[in-house]
Amino acid sequence: AGGLDETLTVFLGGCRLPERWRGRTRFAIGELGFGTGLNALATWEMWRRTRDHGAVLHYVSVEGFPLTRDEAARAHQAFPEVAELSARLLARWPVRARGAQRLWFQEDGFALTVIHDEAEAALAGLSGAFDAWFLDGFAPARNEGMWSAPLLQRLAALSAEGARAATYSVAGAVRRGLGD
């Protein structure tokens, strides 16, 4: 029915959130494909409503082709449900420069890191253990690098025990790659 419903069903539902972050003081989500930031906004909204007091969500997103603030603002107009958070994000929208940019929203315990780079290069520079992955890249036919075996192996290496990954892609290559 729309982008926000897709995020709630595919990504949050697919990773069994918010159930999996309840009772945790720290939870980390990795995302491939920041785009307009809609997945981050929906996750942030859910986090604000359901997190344990004092808990921190680390949301790290990789984007190879960043949008401008104005492009994102136009896209966000279709989602009044997250208008307040959209305004806060847009006020600090990451610049279109290669590298990592961290936005810290302390009052919500929400740390957003956006990395503008190719996915494989960005993941090579990361460490830590992610509890969930939102794989929001284009289909393999349009973006092969996002679904390569080395990239998926890197995701596995960066995953905490019991981590979950969600994607709307149903391509056989993606299913097989995630299963390996």
PDB file of all heavy atoms in Angstrom, residues 4 7-9 11-13 16-22 29 38-52 57 81-82 85 108 110 134:
ATOM      1  N   LEU A   4       5.738   3.322   3.672  1.00  0.00           N
ATOM      2  CA  LEU A   4       5.755   3.150   5.118  1.00  0.00           C
ATOM      3  C   LEU A   4       5.225   1.771   5.507  1.00  0.00           C
ATOM      4  O   LEU A   4       5.795   1.098   6.371  1.00  0.00           O
ATOM      5  CB  LEU A   4       4.949   4.264   5.793  1.00  0.00           C
ATOM      6  CG  LEU A   4       5.156   4.425   7.280  1.00  0.00           C
ATOM      7  CD1 LEU A   4       6.622   4.618   7.645  1.00  0.00           C
ATOM      8  CD2 LEU A   4       4.342   5.601   7.798  1.00  0.00           C
ATOM      9  N   THR A   7       7.924  -0.758   4.857  1.00  0.00           N
ATOM     10  CA  THR A   7       8.937  -0.740   5.910  1.00  0.00           C
ATOM     11  C   THR A   7       8.447  -1.499   7.142  1.00  0.00           C
ATOM     12  O   THR A   7       9.169  -2.325   7.704  1.00  0.00           O
ATOM     13  CB  THR A   7       9.290   0.707   6.294  1.00  0.00           C
ATOM     14  OG1 THR A   7       9.929   1.318   5.173  1.00  0.00           O
ATOM     15  CG2 THR A   7      10.198   0.766   7.499  1.00  0.00           C
ATOM     16  N   LEU A   8       7.229  -1.212   7.565  1.00  0.00           N
ATOM     17  CA  LEU A   8       6.698  -1.853   8.766  1.00  0.00           C
ATOM     18  C   LEU A   8       6.559  -3.355   8.587  1.00  0.00           C
ATOM     19  O   LEU A   8       6.871  -4.133   9.495  1.00  0.00           O
ATOM     20  CB  LEU A   8       5.352  -1.227   9.143  1.00  0.00           C
ATOM     21  CG  LEU A   8       5.411   0.241   9.556  1.00  0.00           C
ATOM     22  CD1 LEU A   8       4.002   0.810   9.745  1.00  0.00           C
ATOM     23  CD2 LEU A   8       6.239   0.425  10.819  1.00  0.00           C
ATOM     24  N   THR A   9       6.104  -3.778   7.421  1.00  0.00           N
ATOM     25  CA  THR A   9       5.878  -5.201   7.173  1.00  0.00           C
ATOM     26  C   THR A   9       7.171  -5.941   6.870  1.00  0.00           C
ATOM     27  O   THR A   9       7.495  -6.941   7.509  1.00  0.00           O
ATOM     28  CB  THR A   9       4.880  -5.383   6.010  1.00  0.00           C
ATOM     29  OG1 THR A   9       3.659  -4.739   6.357  1.00  0.00           O
ATOM     30  CG2 THR A   9       4.632  -6.848   5.726  1.00  0.00           C
ATOM     31  N   PHE A  11      10.605  -4.878   6.755  1.00  0.00           N
ATOM     32  CA  PHE A  11      11.828  -4.702   7.536  1.00  0.00           C
ATOM     33  C   PHE A  11      11.601  -4.872   9.040  1.00  0.00           C
ATOM     34  O   PHE A  11      12.222  -5.729   9.665  1.00  0.00           O
ATOM     35  CB  PHE A  11      12.488  -3.368   7.194  1.00  0.00           C
ATOM     36  CG  PHE A  11      12.900  -3.323   5.750  1.00  0.00           C
ATOM     37  CD1 PHE A  11      12.252  -2.500   4.849  1.00  0.00           C
ATOM     38  CD2 PHE A  11      13.901  -4.146   5.275  1.00  0.00           C
ATOM     39  CE1 PHE A  11      12.607  -2.480   3.514  1.00  0.00           C
ATOM     40  CE2 PHE A  11      14.261  -4.143   3.938  1.00  0.00           C
ATOM     41  CZ  PHE A  11      13.613  -3.308   3.055  1.00  0.00           C
ATOM     42  N   LEU A  12      10.719  -4.077   9.622  1.00  0.00           N
ATOM     43  CA  LEU A  12      10.474  -4.225  11.060  1.00  0.00           C
ATOM     44  C   LEU A  12       9.834  -5.581  11.364  1.00  0.00           C
ATOM     45  O   LEU A  12      10.281  -6.291  12.266  1.00  0.00           O
ATOM     46  CB  LEU A  12       9.627  -3.069  11.572  1.00  0.00           C
ATOM     47  CG  LEU A  12      10.384  -1.734  11.587  1.00  0.00           C
ATOM     48  CD1 LEU A  12       9.435  -0.556  11.494  1.00  0.00           C
ATOM     49  CD2 LEU A  12      11.247  -1.626  12.804  1.00  0.00           C
ATOM     50  N   GLY A  13       8.812  -5.946  10.609  1.00  0.00           N
ATOM     51  CA  GLY A  13       8.172  -7.238  10.816  1.00  0.00           C
ATOM     52  C   GLY A  13       9.108  -8.394  10.504  1.00  0.00           C
ATOM     53  O   GLY A  13       9.167  -9.385  11.244  1.00  0.00           O
ATOM     54  N   ARG A  16      11.411  -9.016  13.203  1.00  0.00           N
ATOM     55  CA  ARG A  16      10.678  -9.200  14.463  1.00  0.00           C
ATOM     56  C   ARG A  16      10.956  -8.080  15.469  1.00  0.00           C
ATOM     57  O   ARG A  16      11.273  -8.301  16.636  1.00  0.00           O
ATOM     58  CB  ARG A  16      10.973 -10.564  15.062  1.00  0.00           C
ATOM     59  CG  ARG A  16      10.378 -11.689  14.268  1.00  0.00           C
ATOM     60  CD  ARG A  16      10.360 -13.033  14.965  1.00  0.00           C
ATOM     61  NE  ARG A  16      11.053 -13.091  16.227  1.00  0.00           N
ATOM     62  CZ  ARG A  16      12.006 -13.965  16.533  1.00  0.00           C
ATOM     63  NH1 ARG A  16      12.379 -14.857  15.661  1.00  0.00           N
ATOM     64  NH2 ARG A  16      12.568 -13.954  17.711  1.00  0.00           N
ATOM     65  N   LEU A  17      10.809  -6.867  14.970  1.00  0.00           N
ATOM     66  CA  LEU A  17      10.985  -5.690  15.808  1.00  0.00           C
ATOM     67  C   LEU A  17       9.617  -5.064  16.065  1.00  0.00           C
ATOM     68  O   LEU A  17       8.778  -5.084  15.174  1.00  0.00           O
ATOM     69  CB  LEU A  17      11.910  -4.687  15.106  1.00  0.00           C
ATOM     70  CG  LEU A  17      13.280  -5.233  14.722  1.00  0.00           C
ATOM     71  CD1 LEU A  17      14.062  -4.212  13.931  1.00  0.00           C
ATOM     72  CD2 LEU A  17      14.066  -5.675  15.948  1.00  0.00           C
ATOM     73  N   PRO A  18       9.355  -4.629  17.243  1.00  0.00           N
ATOM     74  CA  PRO A  18      10.257  -4.297  18.341  1.00  0.00           C
ATOM     75  C   PRO A  18      10.518  -5.424  19.338  1.00  0.00           C
ATOM     76  O   PRO A  18      11.283  -5.234  20.286  1.00  0.00           O
ATOM     77  CB  PRO A  18       9.540  -3.139  19.023  1.00  0.00           C
ATOM     78  CG  PRO A  18       8.101  -3.462  18.859  1.00  0.00           C
ATOM     79  CD  PRO A  18       8.011  -4.108  17.480  1.00  0.00           C
ATOM     80  N   GLU A  19       9.909  -6.589  19.153  1.00  0.00           N
ATOM     81  CA  GLU A  19      10.056  -7.664  20.138  1.00  0.00           C
ATOM     82  C   GLU A  19      11.512  -7.957  20.470  1.00  0.00           C
ATOM     83  O   GLU A  19      11.859  -8.173  21.638  1.00  0.00           O
ATOM     84  CB  GLU A  19       9.374  -8.946  19.650  1.00  0.00           C
ATOM     85  CG  GLU A  19       7.871  -8.837  19.469  1.00  0.00           C
ATOM     86  CD  GLU A  19       7.487  -8.244  18.111  1.00  0.00           C
ATOM     87  OE1 GLU A  19       8.277  -8.323  17.146  1.00  0.00           O
ATOM     88  OE2 GLU A  19       6.382  -7.673  18.028  1.00  0.00           O
ATOM     89  N   ARG A  20      12.370  -7.974  19.460  1.00  0.00           N
ATOM     90  CA  ARG A  20      13.760  -8.377  19.670  1.00  0.00           C
ATOM     91  C   ARG A  20      14.600  -7.338  20.394  1.00  0.00           C
ATOM     92  O   ARG A  20      15.655  -7.667  20.935  1.00  0.00           O
ATOM     93  CB  ARG A  20      14.405  -8.752  18.334  1.00  0.00           C
ATOM     94  CG  ARG A  20      13.789 -10.036  17.779  1.00  0.00           C
ATOM     95  CD  ARG A  20      14.486 -10.589  16.554  1.00  0.00           C
ATOM     96  NE  ARG A  20      15.911 -10.758  16.784  1.00  0.00           N
ATOM     97  CZ  ARG A  20      16.845 -10.087  16.107  1.00  0.00           C
ATOM     98  NH1 ARG A  20      16.517  -9.223  15.168  1.00  0.00           N
ATOM     99  NH2 ARG A  20      18.113 -10.292  16.351  1.00  0.00           N
ATOM    100  N   TRP A  21      14.172  -6.073  20.416  1.00  0.00           N
ATOM    101  CA  TRP A  21      14.990  -5.102  21.149  1.00  0.00           C
ATOM    102  C   TRP A  21      14.489  -4.874  22.566  1.00  0.00           C
ATOM    103  O   TRP A  21      15.148  -4.216  23.361  1.00  0.00           O
ATOM    104  CB  TRP A  21      15.175  -3.806  20.397  1.00  0.00           C
ATOM    105  CG  TRP A  21      13.963  -2.939  20.124  1.00  0.00           C
ATOM    106  CD1 TRP A  21      12.955  -2.591  20.982  1.00  0.00           C
ATOM    107  CD2 TRP A  21      13.671  -2.283  18.894  1.00  0.00           C
ATOM    108  NE1 TRP A  21      12.054  -1.751  20.373  1.00  0.00           N
ATOM    109  CE2 TRP A  21      12.478  -1.546  19.074  1.00  0.00           C
ATOM    110  CE3 TRP A  21      14.303  -2.227  17.660  1.00  0.00           C
ATOM    111  CZ2 TRP A  21      11.900  -0.790  18.073  1.00  0.00           C
ATOM    112  CZ3 TRP A  21      13.729  -1.475  16.662  1.00  0.00           C
ATOM    113  CH2 TRP A  21      12.538  -0.760  16.874  1.00  0.00           C
ATOM    114  N   ARG A  22      13.348  -5.418  22.906  1.00  0.00           N
ATOM    115  CA  ARG A  22      12.837  -5.267  24.276  1.00  0.00           C
ATOM    116  C   ARG A  22      13.775  -5.958  25.260  1.00  0.00           C
ATOM    117  O   ARG A  22      14.267  -7.049  25.001  1.00  0.00           O
ATOM    118  CB  ARG A  22      11.432  -5.835  24.383  1.00  0.00           C
ATOM    119  CG  ARG A  22      10.424  -4.938  23.723  1.00  0.00           C
ATOM    120  CD  ARG A  22       9.011  -5.220  24.170  1.00  0.00           C
ATOM    121  NE  ARG A  22       8.117  -4.324  23.501  1.00  0.00           N
ATOM    122  CZ  ARG A  22       7.238  -4.687  22.557  1.00  0.00           C
ATOM    123  NH1 ARG A  22       7.148  -5.940  22.188  1.00  0.00           N
ATOM    124  NH2 ARG A  22       6.458  -3.797  22.000  1.00  0.00           N
ATOM    125  N   ILE A  29      21.164  -1.917  14.128  1.00  0.00           N
ATOM    126  CA  ILE A  29      20.593  -2.259  12.830  1.00  0.00           C
ATOM    127  C   ILE A  29      21.524  -1.731  11.750  1.00  0.00           C
ATOM    128  O   ILE A  29      21.942  -0.571  11.794  1.00  0.00           O
ATOM    129  CB  ILE A  29      19.196  -1.636  12.642  1.00  0.00           C
ATOM    130  CG1 ILE A  29      18.219  -2.196  13.675  1.00  0.00           C
ATOM    131  CG2 ILE A  29      18.678  -1.855  11.210  1.00  0.00           C
ATOM    132  CD1 ILE A  29      16.863  -1.517  13.682  1.00  0.00           C
ATOM    133  N   LEU A  38      13.323   6.718   4.842  1.00  0.00           N
ATOM    134  CA  LEU A  38      12.020   6.303   5.357  1.00  0.00           C
ATOM    135  C   LEU A  38      12.125   5.110   6.314  1.00  0.00           C
ATOM    136  O   LEU A  38      11.450   5.084   7.347  1.00  0.00           O
ATOM    137  CB  LEU A  38      11.062   5.970   4.203  1.00  0.00           C
ATOM    138  CG  LEU A  38       9.640   5.630   4.618  1.00  0.00           C
ATOM    139  CD1 LEU A  38       8.989   6.785   5.372  1.00  0.00           C
ATOM    140  CD2 LEU A  38       8.806   5.270   3.387  1.00  0.00           C
ATOM    141  N   ASN A  39      12.972   4.135   5.999  1.00  0.00           N
ATOM    142  CA  ASN A  39      13.134   2.997   6.918  1.00  0.00           C
ATOM    143  C   ASN A  39      13.657   3.478   8.267  1.00  0.00           C
ATOM    144  O   ASN A  39      13.209   3.014   9.312  1.00  0.00           O
ATOM    145  CB  ASN A  39      14.097   1.959   6.336  1.00  0.00           C
ATOM    146  CG  ASN A  39      13.555   1.267   5.117  1.00  0.00           C
ATOM    147  OD1 ASN A  39      12.360   1.255   4.865  1.00  0.00           O
ATOM    148  ND2 ASN A  39      14.446   0.692   4.330  1.00  0.00           N
ATOM    149  N   ALA A  40      14.613   4.409   8.235  1.00  0.00           N
ATOM    150  CA  ALA A  40      15.153   4.946   9.487  1.00  0.00           C
ATOM    151  C   ALA A  40      14.075   5.690  10.271  1.00  0.00           C
ATOM    152  O   ALA A  40      13.972   5.535  11.490  1.00  0.00           O
ATOM    153  CB  ALA A  40      16.338   5.867   9.198  1.00  0.00           C
ATOM    154  N   LEU A  41      13.262   6.472   9.576  1.00  0.00           N
ATOM    155  CA  LEU A  41      12.198   7.220  10.260  1.00  0.00           C
ATOM    156  C   LEU A  41      11.180   6.282  10.909  1.00  0.00           C
ATOM    157  O   LEU A  41      10.784   6.494  12.061  1.00  0.00           O
ATOM    158  CB  LEU A  41      11.492   8.148   9.272  1.00  0.00           C
ATOM    159  CG  LEU A  41      12.294   9.354   8.788  1.00  0.00           C
ATOM    160  CD1 LEU A  41      11.551  10.058   7.653  1.00  0.00           C
ATOM    161  CD2 LEU A  41      12.579  10.315   9.935  1.00  0.00           C
ATOM    162  N   ALA A  42      10.761   5.263  10.185  1.00  0.00           N
ATOM    163  CA  ALA A  42       9.776   4.314  10.732  1.00  0.00           C
ATOM    164  C   ALA A  42      10.360   3.557  11.927  1.00  0.00           C
ATOM    165  O   ALA A  42       9.672   3.334  12.934  1.00  0.00           O
ATOM    166  CB  ALA A  42       9.328   3.341   9.649  1.00  0.00           C
ATOM    167  N   THR A  43      11.621   3.184  11.822  1.00  0.00           N
ATOM    168  CA  THR A  43      12.284   2.466  12.906  1.00  0.00           C
ATOM    169  C   THR A  43      12.444   3.371  14.121  1.00  0.00           C
ATOM    170  O   THR A  43      12.184   2.955  15.259  1.00  0.00           O
ATOM    171  CB  THR A  43      13.654   1.938  12.438  1.00  0.00           C
ATOM    172  OG1 THR A  43      13.459   1.119  11.275  1.00  0.00           O
ATOM    173  CG2 THR A  43      14.330   1.132  13.528  1.00  0.00           C
ATOM    174  N   TRP A  44      12.853   4.606  13.882  1.00  0.00           N
ATOM    175  CA  TRP A  44      13.021   5.588  14.958  1.00  0.00           C
ATOM    176  C   TRP A  44      11.699   5.800  15.684  1.00  0.00           C
ATOM    177  O   TRP A  44      11.642   5.824  16.922  1.00  0.00           O
ATOM    178  CB  TRP A  44      13.549   6.864  14.331  1.00  0.00           C
ATOM    179  CG  TRP A  44      13.890   8.013  15.218  1.00  0.00           C
ATOM    180  CD1 TRP A  44      13.909   8.070  16.584  1.00  0.00           C
ATOM    181  CD2 TRP A  44      14.283   9.308  14.765  1.00  0.00           C
ATOM    182  NE1 TRP A  44      14.281   9.323  17.003  1.00  0.00           N
ATOM    183  CE2 TRP A  44      14.525  10.097  15.909  1.00  0.00           C
ATOM    184  CE3 TRP A  44      14.453   9.881  13.509  1.00  0.00           C
ATOM    185  CZ2 TRP A  44      14.918  11.433  15.822  1.00  0.00           C
ATOM    186  CZ3 TRP A  44      14.854  11.201  13.425  1.00  0.00           C
ATOM    187  CH2 TRP A  44      15.086  11.964  14.571  1.00  0.00           C
ATOM    188  N   GLU A  45      10.620   5.946  14.928  1.00  0.00           N
ATOM    189  CA  GLU A  45       9.298   6.140  15.536  1.00  0.00           C
ATOM    190  C   GLU A  45       8.920   4.940  16.409  1.00  0.00           C
ATOM    191  O   GLU A  45       8.456   5.098  17.542  1.00  0.00           O
ATOM    192  CB  GLU A  45       8.247   6.381  14.456  1.00  0.00           C
ATOM    193  CG  GLU A  45       6.828   6.504  14.981  1.00  0.00           C
ATOM    194  CD  GLU A  45       6.618   7.646  15.965  1.00  0.00           C
ATOM    195  OE1 GLU A  45       7.282   8.696  15.836  1.00  0.00           O
ATOM    196  OE2 GLU A  45       5.789   7.499  16.882  1.00  0.00           O
ATOM    197  N   MET A  46       9.123   3.735  15.890  1.00  0.00           N
ATOM    198  CA  MET A  46       8.814   2.524  16.664  1.00  0.00           C
ATOM    199  C   MET A  46       9.708   2.447  17.900  1.00  0.00           C
ATOM    200  O   MET A  46       9.247   2.101  18.986  1.00  0.00           O
ATOM    201  CB  MET A  46       9.011   1.291  15.783  1.00  0.00           C
ATOM    202  CG  MET A  46       8.717  -0.023  16.487  1.00  0.00           C
ATOM    203  SD  MET A  46       6.961  -0.391  16.647  1.00  0.00           S
ATOM    204  CE  MET A  46       6.520  -0.630  14.937  1.00  0.00           C
ATOM    205  N   TRP A  47      10.972   2.769  17.738  1.00  0.00           N
ATOM    206  CA  TRP A  47      11.927   2.751  18.848  1.00  0.00           C
ATOM    207  C   TRP A  47      11.484   3.699  19.954  1.00  0.00           C
ATOM    208  O   TRP A  47      11.489   3.332  21.131  1.00  0.00           O
ATOM    209  CB  TRP A  47      13.315   3.138  18.325  1.00  0.00           C
ATOM    210  CG  TRP A  47      14.375   3.251  19.377  1.00  0.00           C
ATOM    211  CD1 TRP A  47      14.925   4.400  19.853  1.00  0.00           C
ATOM    212  CD2 TRP A  47      15.025   2.185  20.070  1.00  0.00           C
ATOM    213  NE1 TRP A  47      15.880   4.118  20.801  1.00  0.00           N
ATOM    214  CE2 TRP A  47      15.965   2.765  20.957  1.00  0.00           C
ATOM    215  CE3 TRP A  47      14.907   0.809  20.038  1.00  0.00           C
ATOM    216  CZ2 TRP A  47      16.771   2.006  21.791  1.00  0.00           C
ATOM    217  CZ3 TRP A  47      15.718   0.042  20.872  1.00  0.00           C
ATOM    218  CH2 TRP A  47      16.635   0.645  21.725  1.00  0.00           C
ATOM    219  N   ARG A  48      11.101   4.914  19.600  1.00  0.00           N
ATOM    220  CA  ARG A  48      10.669   5.893  20.606  1.00  0.00           C
ATOM    221  C   ARG A  48       9.500   5.375  21.422  1.00  0.00           C
ATOM    222  O   ARG A  48       9.396   5.646  22.612  1.00  0.00           O
ATOM    223  CB  ARG A  48      10.252   7.206  19.936  1.00  0.00           C
ATOM    224  CG  ARG A  48      11.400   8.027  19.475  1.00  0.00           C
ATOM    225  CD  ARG A  48      11.032   9.369  18.886  1.00  0.00           C
ATOM    226  NE  ARG A  48       9.637   9.680  18.726  1.00  0.00           N
ATOM    227  CZ  ARG A  48       9.147  10.894  18.749  1.00  0.00           C
ATOM    228  NH1 ARG A  48       9.937  11.936  18.924  1.00  0.00           N
ATOM    229  NH2 ARG A  48       7.874  11.123  18.544  1.00  0.00           N
ATOM    230  N   ARG A  49       8.606   4.662  20.771  1.00  0.00           N
ATOM    231  CA  ARG A  49       7.391   4.200  21.457  1.00  0.00           C
ATOM    232  C   ARG A  49       7.616   2.938  22.286  1.00  0.00           C
ATOM    233  O   ARG A  49       6.845   2.684  23.213  1.00  0.00           O
ATOM    234  CB  ARG A  49       6.272   3.934  20.441  1.00  0.00           C
ATOM    235  CG  ARG A  49       5.686   5.221  19.864  1.00  0.00           C
ATOM    236  CD  ARG A  49       4.456   4.977  19.002  1.00  0.00           C
ATOM    237  NE  ARG A  49       4.815   4.376  17.714  1.00  0.00           N
ATOM    238  CZ  ARG A  49       4.501   3.142  17.335  1.00  0.00           C
ATOM    239  NH1 ARG A  49       3.822   2.350  18.122  1.00  0.00           N
ATOM    240  NH2 ARG A  49       4.855   2.693  16.150  1.00  0.00           N
ATOM    241  N   THR A  50       8.637   2.138  21.973  1.00  0.00           N
ATOM    242  CA  THR A  50       8.730   0.809  22.578  1.00  0.00           C
ATOM    243  C   THR A  50      10.044   0.508  23.288  1.00  0.00           C
ATOM    244  O   THR A  50      10.154  -0.545  23.912  1.00  0.00           O
ATOM    245  CB  THR A  50       8.517  -0.280  21.502  1.00  0.00           C
ATOM    246  OG1 THR A  50       9.566  -0.204  20.536  1.00  0.00           O
ATOM    247  CG2 THR A  50       7.162  -0.135  20.822  1.00  0.00           C
ATOM    248  N   ARG A  51      11.010   1.401  23.231  1.00  0.00           N
ATOM    249  CA  ARG A  51      12.321   1.092  23.816  1.00  0.00           C
ATOM    250  C   ARG A  51      12.253   1.085  25.333  1.00  0.00           C
ATOM    251  O   ARG A  51      11.404   1.745  25.951  1.00  0.00           O
ATOM    252  CB  ARG A  51      13.367   2.093  23.345  1.00  0.00           C
ATOM    253  CG  ARG A  51      13.271   3.452  24.030  1.00  0.00           C
ATOM    254  CD  ARG A  51      14.354   4.391  23.519  1.00  0.00           C
ATOM    255  NE  ARG A  51      14.231   5.694  24.119  1.00  0.00           N
ATOM    256  CZ  ARG A  51      15.216   6.301  24.769  1.00  0.00           C
ATOM    257  NH1 ARG A  51      16.387   5.711  24.887  1.00  0.00           N
ATOM    258  NH2 ARG A  51      15.029   7.500  25.290  1.00  0.00           N
ATOM    259  N   ASP A  52      13.177   0.361  25.910  1.00  0.00           N
ATOM    260  CA  ASP A  52      13.345   0.392  27.352  1.00  0.00           C
ATOM    261  C   ASP A  52      14.051   1.695  27.728  1.00  0.00           C
ATOM    262  O   ASP A  52      14.883   2.204  26.962  1.00  0.00           O
ATOM    263  CB  ASP A  52      14.173  -0.805  27.823  1.00  0.00           C
ATOM    264  CG  ASP A  52      13.416  -2.125  27.696  1.00  0.00           C
ATOM    265  OD1 ASP A  52      12.188  -2.097  27.492  1.00  0.00           O
ATOM    266  OD2 ASP A  52      14.061  -3.180  27.805  1.00  0.00           O
ATOM    267  N   LEU A  57      19.611   2.778  20.322  1.00  0.00           N
ATOM    268  CA  LEU A  57      19.548   2.106  19.020  1.00  0.00           C
ATOM    269  C   LEU A  57      20.603   2.715  18.117  1.00  0.00           C
ATOM    270  O   LEU A  57      20.617   3.921  17.891  1.00  0.00           O
ATOM    271  CB  LEU A  57      18.159   2.273  18.387  1.00  0.00           C
ATOM    272  CG  LEU A  57      18.011   1.716  16.967  1.00  0.00           C
ATOM    273  CD1 LEU A  57      18.246   0.210  16.931  1.00  0.00           C
ATOM    274  CD2 LEU A  57      16.629   2.045  16.416  1.00  0.00           C
ATOM    275  N   GLU A  81       2.624  10.550   9.036  1.00  0.00           N
ATOM    276  CA  GLU A  81       2.772   9.784  10.277  1.00  0.00           C
ATOM    277  C   GLU A  81       4.136   9.992  10.927  1.00  0.00           C
ATOM    278  O   GLU A  81       4.281   9.821  12.139  1.00  0.00           O
ATOM    279  CB  GLU A  81       2.594   8.279  10.020  1.00  0.00           C
ATOM    280  CG  GLU A  81       1.302   7.913   9.328  1.00  0.00           C
ATOM    281  CD  GLU A  81       1.462   7.816   7.802  1.00  0.00           C
ATOM    282  OE1 GLU A  81       2.094   8.705   7.183  1.00  0.00           O
ATOM    283  OE2 GLU A  81       0.931   6.869   7.232  1.00  0.00           O
ATOM    284  N   VAL A  82       5.128  10.346  10.129  1.00  0.00           N
ATOM    285  CA  VAL A  82       6.473  10.549  10.662  1.00  0.00           C
ATOM    286  C   VAL A  82       6.959  11.983  10.435  1.00  0.00           C
ATOM    287  O   VAL A  82       8.155  12.255  10.401  1.00  0.00           O
ATOM    288  CB  VAL A  82       7.481   9.519  10.075  1.00  0.00           C
ATOM    289  CG1 VAL A  82       7.173   8.117  10.577  1.00  0.00           C
ATOM    290  CG2 VAL A  82       7.507   9.576   8.559  1.00  0.00           C
ATOM    291  N   LEU A  85       9.472  13.536  13.095  1.00  0.00           N
ATOM    292  CA  LEU A  85      10.820  12.989  12.978  1.00  0.00           C
ATOM    293  C   LEU A  85      11.462  13.394  11.651  1.00  0.00           C
ATOM    294  O   LEU A  85      12.669  13.642  11.590  1.00  0.00           O
ATOM    295  CB  LEU A  85      10.808  11.472  13.130  1.00  0.00           C
ATOM    296  CG  LEU A  85      10.396  10.966  14.510  1.00  0.00           C
ATOM    297  CD1 LEU A  85      10.401   9.446  14.552  1.00  0.00           C
ATOM    298  CD2 LEU A  85      11.281  11.547  15.596  1.00  0.00           C
ATOM    299  N   ASP A 108      16.093  10.545  22.324  1.00  0.00           N
ATOM    300  CA  ASP A 108      15.414   9.327  21.894  1.00  0.00           C
ATOM    301  C   ASP A 108      16.319   8.103  21.949  1.00  0.00           C
ATOM    302  O   ASP A 108      15.887   7.000  21.589  1.00  0.00           O
ATOM    303  CB  ASP A 108      14.903   9.487  20.451  1.00  0.00           C
ATOM    304  CG  ASP A 108      13.857  10.578  20.336  1.00  0.00           C
ATOM    305  OD1 ASP A 108      13.120  10.818  21.319  1.00  0.00           O
ATOM    306  OD2 ASP A 108      13.774  11.216  19.265  1.00  0.00           O
ATOM    307  N   PHE A 110      18.742   7.482  19.953  1.00  0.00           N
ATOM    308  CA  PHE A 110      18.815   7.054  18.551  1.00  0.00           C
ATOM    309  C   PHE A 110      20.065   7.632  17.908  1.00  0.00           C
ATOM    310  O   PHE A 110      20.196   8.851  17.765  1.00  0.00           O
ATOM    311  CB  PHE A 110      17.560   7.520  17.805  1.00  0.00           C
ATOM    312  CG  PHE A 110      17.487   7.071  16.378  1.00  0.00           C
ATOM    313  CD1 PHE A 110      17.340   5.735  16.056  1.00  0.00           C
ATOM    314  CD2 PHE A 110      17.546   7.997  15.346  1.00  0.00           C
ATOM    315  CE1 PHE A 110      17.257   5.317  14.731  1.00  0.00           C
ATOM    316  CE2 PHE A 110      17.469   7.596  14.015  1.00  0.00           C
ATOM    317  CZ  PHE A 110      17.324   6.250  13.704  1.00  0.00           C
ATOM    318  N   PHE A 134      18.572  -4.455   7.306  1.00  0.00           N
ATOM    319  CA  PHE A 134      17.546  -4.079   6.336  1.00  0.00           C
ATOM    320  C   PHE A 134      18.254  -3.987   4.984  1.00  0.00           C
ATOM    321  O   PHE A 134      19.064  -3.087   4.769  1.00  0.00           O
ATOM    322  CB  PHE A 134      16.930  -2.718   6.664  1.00  0.00           C
ATOM    323  CG  PHE A 134      16.168  -2.625   7.958  1.00  0.00           C
ATOM    324  CD1 PHE A 134      15.709  -1.396   8.386  1.00  0.00           C
ATOM    325  CD2 PHE A 134      15.907  -3.729   8.752  1.00  0.00           C
ATOM    326  CE1 PHE A 134      14.994  -1.256   9.571  1.00  0.00           C
ATOM    327  CE2 PHE A 134      15.194  -3.612   9.945  1.00  0.00           C
ATOM    328  CZ  PHE A 134      14.741  -2.368  10.353  1.00  0.00           C
TER     329      PHE A 134
END
